[in-house]
Amino acid sequence: MIHFLNLIRWKNLIMIALVQILIKYALLLPFNESQGVTTTLSTFAFIILVIATLCIAAGGYIINDIYDIDTDKVNKPSKVIINKHISEKDGYTYFMLLNVIGVGLGFYLSYHINYSSLFVVFFISSALLYIYSTALKQMFLIGNIVVSIVVALSILVVGVFELIPSMMSFNNVANMPFLEIIRDYAIFAFLINLVREVIKDIEDINGDHKVGMQTMPIVLGRDRATKIAFVLSLIPLFAVVYYIITSLYTQQILVGYFLVFVVAPLIYITINIFSAEQQSHYKHISLMLKLVMLTGMLSMSLYPFVLN
């Protein structure tokens, strides 16, 4: 059981679920009366949304590990699960089952709220994760962008299902500012994950080169890829600072939180990227980027205290 949980990256799944829960219960529901926000999903329907998202994400992790067997034997031999603890055949079975459940629940949810067209979000996410693992991951930067889009979609999907149906049914303009906030968090997640994907490619350069991948560090070299990662890391840093100046400047609690728990760590990360040389350095940077992603998302818990 523990090997299956590690295969589906249970810690990452908990983080995805936590972010979606924060969006509904910290960012949206507290403003039903004070701001006139109208949400669509009942508690049961929201649970379906979370489970569908987690199933598709778990399936993505499994198919990624199946196609990364050779590279993982070089980059992280102690963490190899496929063909060591779980057979490749069983891995494919779990992948198919999780995707059928995830996409099926997505279709049910879309039909349940009378917006069947929204089902495409789940189908596209599932398809992108499969294409990423089987083909795009080996390509210069494209794979990094695609998987970062899927990460952003896991956040944006809550806003899409909770707010858009209500806006289209009742012309509820009060929902728009909150949909824009969710969009901004999705953009933040995209930018942080894009940097992290490039850093992970640099960290995994030896195994990726062995199997003939054409990732950025392999095509351009480790040093140039590190410089590009440094430049990319400045984008979320400047974006957050700009967001603080233009949107949060009147909310001192939020400003303080973002400066301490997002901006300061991002500055630390950019400095470390600039001076990184060893594999252990890139591993540390990757971990820090994941932590910044978490602290950035946890800021949603403060909105009920500063906006009401």
Side-chain angles (χ1 to χ4, degrees):
M1 186 62 178
I2 187 63
H3 298 304
F4 176 76
L5 291 175
N6 289 332
L7 181 65
I8 63 173
R9 311 292 199 278
W10 64 274
K11 294 178 182 178
N12 292 354
L13 297 185
I14 289 176
M15 183 173 173
I16 293 171
L18 174 63
V19 171
Q20 293 189 329
I21 291 169
L22 282 172
I23 293 173
K24 182 173 179 68
Y25 292 100
L27 188 59
L28 298 180
L29 286 188
F31 302 100
N32 277 5
E33 295 182 4
S34 62
Q35 303 289 341
V37 175
T38 304
T39 54
T40 303
L41 303 180
S42 64
T43 300
F44 173 75
F46 178 71
I47 291 172
I48 294 296
L49 173 66
V50 174
I51 293 174
T53 305
L54 296 184
C55 284
I56 291 172
Y61 288 126
I62 292 174
I63 196 67
N64 185 66
D65 271 18
I66 290 174
Y67 279 86
D68 270 2
I69 294 173
D70 292 334
T71 58
D72 287 346
K73 287 179 179 178
V74 177
N75 295 324
K76 42 187 178 181
S78 62
K79 294 184 177 181
V80 173
I81 297 174
I82 297 295
N83 285 341
K84 186 176 180 181
H85 302 289
I86 296 175
S87 69
E88 188 172 330
K89 180 182 178 181
D90 286 345
Y92 273 112
T93 301
Y94 295 142
F95 164 73
M96 292 296 297
L97 183 61
L98 286 167
N99 274 275
V100 168
I101 294 173
V103 175
L105 288 176
F107 178 78
Y108 166 79
L109 183 63
S110 303
Y111 179 80
H112 177 71
I113 63 173
N114 297 318
Y115 281 90
S116 300
S117 59
L118 293 181
F119 152 76
V120 72
V121 176
F122 297 97
F123 180 79
I124 288 175
S125 298
S126 176
L128 284 177
L129 286 173
Y130 177 78
I131 297 171
Y132 163 76
S133 298
T134 57
L136 298 181
K137 186 175 184 178
Q138 304 177 24
M139 301 172 66
F140 182 92
L141 197 58
I142 295 176
N144 305 129
I145 294 173
V146 167
V147 76
S148 298
I149 289 174
V150 175
V151 170
L153 279 176
S154 70
I155 296 169
L156 198 58
V157 69
V158 182
V160 169
F161 274 82
E162 287 282 13
L163 300 178
I164 288 181
S166 297
M167 292 170 64
M168 296 179 72
S169 300
F170 308 110
N171 194 27
N172 190 348
V173 294
N175 284 7
M176 183 54 72
F178 289 88
L179 185 60
E180 291 174 349
I181 291 173
I182 296 171
R183 176 206 63 196
D184 292 340
Y185 274 99
I187 293 172
F188 172 78
F190 170 84
L191 292 173
I192 294 296
N193 197 77
L194 180 60
V195 178
R196 187 166 181 264
E197 286 296 314
V198 174
I199 292 297
K200 285 166 60 182
D201 281 348
I202 300 173
E203 180 185 350
D204 294 342
I205 188 172
N206 294 331
D208 291 348
H209 184 269
K210 184 178 179 180
V211 298
M213 289 189 176
Q214 295 298 309
T215 60
M216 183 190 297
I218 293 172
V219 174
L220 300 180
R222 189 195 301 265
D223 291 341
R224 288 181 180 177
T226 300
K227 291 176 182 177
I228 292 174
F230 169 76
V231 174
L232 288 175
S233 71
L234 295 175
I235 298 175
L237 174 59
F238 291 151
V240 171
V241 171
Y242 176 80
Y243 188 75
I244 292 172
I245 294 171
T246 58
S247 302
L248 302 178
Y249 60 94
T250 60
Q251 308 294 340
Q252 293 184 358
I253 295 176
L254 278 174
V255 170
Y257 180 92
F258 272 94
L259 288 176
V260 173
F261 294 105
V262 180
V263 173
L266 282 175
I267 292 173
Y268 171 82
I269 287 167
T270 58
I271 293 172
N272 275 265
I273 292 176
F274 187 77
S275 59
E277 293 179 350
Q278 301 175 14
Q279 188 179 28
S280 59
H281 297 163
Y282 296 106
K283 185 176 182 179
H284 173 69
I285 293 167
S286 177
L287 176 61
M288 288 301 301
L289 284 164
K290 183 182 286 190
L291 290 175
V292 169
M293 177 88 79
L294 177 61
T295 56
M297 297 302 152
L298 286 175
S299 66
M300 285 186 239
S301 62
L302 298 177
Y303 279 84
F305 301 100
V306 299
L307 293 185
N308 264 326

